[in-house]
Amino acid sequence: MARTLTILTMCAMVLAAGAVAQAAMVLHWKLDDTGTTFKEEVSGNTTNAVAVNTVTTGQPPLALGGGSSIALTETSPGSYIDAGTLRSDGTYVAGSDASYRVLSGNYTVVAWTNQDTYSRYGDHIVVSSDWNSSNGWMLGVRSDKRTLFDFGNTRMYGSSISEDTDYLIAVLFDSAGPFGGLRNRIAVWDGSTWTNTDADINRGIRLQGLEIGSFGGDRQMTGNVDDVRIYDHTLSLDELDALVRQQEPLLEPTTLASWSSYRSLLKDRVSPMESPSSPRSTSV
């Protein structure tokens, strides 16, 4: 089975003095579970993300080093995961909660996905409640196979993907506008090459009523999903490469005292750019 990784990115973090830290995830579902509930790794909660209809677990992993993935279908009644809400106080709860956190600065959303077929109206991969209004959002694939991120009905499109092909799709927002003065990027990794598409949309995202594979039971996807992550940090290309290799992205230190420990953490890491089997190149 071919594998696809989809990532949405948008944030910057400040390291504490003298510290070397991993880029902070605020939500993470490995989707290695075998029942009808799914563990959220940051909180450790095992009950708030719930299968709706028949979610097939124990499928071959999409993420390198992953345990397994889940298979979803749009065939009525379509299947998806009700993935809950991250509240403004930092607690993770089931369902849609009115006291939700908004990432209004930079952030990153990541999901491995393998698209088997494409629905007439497009497929939802990861979605928040009220995606067609302020701070709602949807990461998905159009019926014409173009990757898509919808900021409350303001949309940007990335490059197209194929069925049964490995991809890492990353949508980045950085308020500093590092992409030629633009703030958004959809970066698509096909296993050897990055293809980038840039835009300039200034929107935060709410972490309310999250769903994996659907929005309110509508426009489900048919295919597999694995290792969904949301960061409160804009992942760099090196950090995205680390995810391709299934290594936790590291934030660079801000003090000289921490550089030696940072280098020791990096010494055994090899970028896909340095690997003959997975060279890094970029096209726009």
Side-chain angles (χ1 to χ4, degrees):
M1 174 186 294
R3 301 147 190 177
T4 303
L5 171 60
T6 307
I7 298 186
L8 162 65
T9 310
M10 303 179 178
C11 178
M13 288 186 64
V14 178
L15 279 176
V20 176
Q22 292 181 339
M25 281 185 290
V26 295
L27 291 167
H28 181 201
W29 299 272
K30 289 185 177 180
L31 305 179
D32 290 342
D33 315 75
T34 57
T36 58
T37 59
F38 301 86
K39 183 179 181 180
E40 194 289 302
E41 300 291 330
V42 177
S43 65
N45 180 277
T46 60
T47 60
N48 289 343
V50 180
V52 178
N53 301 321
T54 302
V55 173
T56 305
T57 61
Q59 299 299 292
L62 307 182
L64 296 178
S68 61
S69 67
I70 60 170
L72 305 172
T73 179
E74 64 177 327
T75 303
S76 181
S79 57
Y80 62 96
I81 294 175
D82 182 340
T85 298
L86 185 65
R87 289 170 49 93
S88 56
D89 63 5
T91 57
Y92 173 63
V93 299
S96 182
D97 191 286
S99 180
Y100 53 84
R101 181 176 177 184
V102 174
L103 298 180
S104 56
N106 308 327
Y107 46 89
T108 302
V109 180
V110 180
W112 289 89
T113 180
N114 183 306
Q115 301 290 128
D116 287 349
T117 60
Y118 296 89
S119 72
R120 177 180 178 185
Y121 300 105
D123 297 330
H124 292 156
I125 299 171
V126 186
V127 180
S128 171
S129 294
D130 300 325
W131 67 271
N132 57 350
S133 63
S134 176
N135 294 327
W137 55 274
M138 183 269 285
L139 174 62
V141 182
R142 284 173 49 99
S143 57
D144 63 5
K145 304 183 182 181
R146 283 190 295 169
T147 52
L148 161 70
F149 190 71
D150 189 319
F151 305 79
N153 274 343
T154 301
R155 298 172 182 173
M156 68 175 294
Y157 300 100
S159 59
S160 297
I161 65 173
S162 301
E163 298 172 7
D164 297 320
T165 306
D166 295 353
Y167 296 99
L168 162 64
I169 308 166
V171 184
L172 302 88
F173 173 83
D174 190 315
S175 58
F179 312 120
L182 304 179
R183 288 172 282 193
N184 305 91
R185 167 168 289 179
I186 297 180
V188 178
W189 168 259
D190 65 2
S192 63
T193 303
W194 289 101
T195 303
N196 301 324
T197 306
D198 300 334
D200 197 52
I201 303 168
N202 187 17
R203 287 285 184 90
I205 59 171
R206 66 175 69 182
L207 303 181
Q208 177 198 26
L210 299 168
E211 295 180 9
I212 298 170
S214 179
F215 172 65
D218 183 30
R219 300 190 186 183
Q220 294 95 339
M221 61 166 284
T222 297
N224 288 44
V225 180
D226 195 2
D227 201 41
V228 176
R229 305 174 180 223
I230 301 177
Y231 290 87
D232 62 357
H233 167 65
T234 303
L235 297 183
S236 67
L237 182 56
D238 286 341
E239 289 171 319
L240 294 178
D241 283 343
L243 279 180
V244 171
R245 296 171 54 79
Q246 287 300 288
Q247 297 168 317
E248 293 299 331
L250 296 175
L251 297 177
E252 292 185 359
T254 56
T255 67
L256 290 175
S258 61
W259 272 102
S260 60
S261 57
Y262 180 74
R263 285 194 299 269
S264 70
L265 289 169
L266 290 180
K267 66 181 181 180
D268 294 325
R269 295 193 174 187
V270 179
S271 166
M273 185 177 184
E274 301 166 344
S275 170
S277 62
S278 54
R280 180 198 297 174
S281 60
T282 303
S283 59
V284 177

